[in-house]
Amino acid sequence: MTLAALTWPEAVVVVAGIVGFALVLSVLVWSIFRTAQTAIRSEGRHREESA
């Protein structure tokens, strides 16, 4: 299925789905990296307090 073969309303729906999926995926990746960053910071503080 290519976008050129679709009517424009169908193509808009397909493109909106792709954009929505990309948005959800980017938020998921962002949250994973932020969680890891927070964990690394808190572990560094924990080590400083223990020393």
Side-chain angles (χ1 to χ4, degrees):
M1 174 171 84
T2 63
L3 288 178
L6 299 175
T7 63
W8 73 266
E10 292 171 333
V12 168
V13 171
V14 171
V15 169
I18 293 169
V19 169
F21 178 74
L23 181 63
V24 169
L25 185 64
S26 66
V27 168
L28 179 65
V29 169
W30 179 265
S31 67
I32 289 170
F33 281 120
R34 291 296 292 173
T35 302
Q37 186 180 29
T38 302
I40 291 169
R41 284 184 184 165
S42 83
E43 185 175 326
R45 287 187 200 132
H46 180 67
R47 286 185 181 183
E48 289 174 359
E49 292 172 356
S50 298

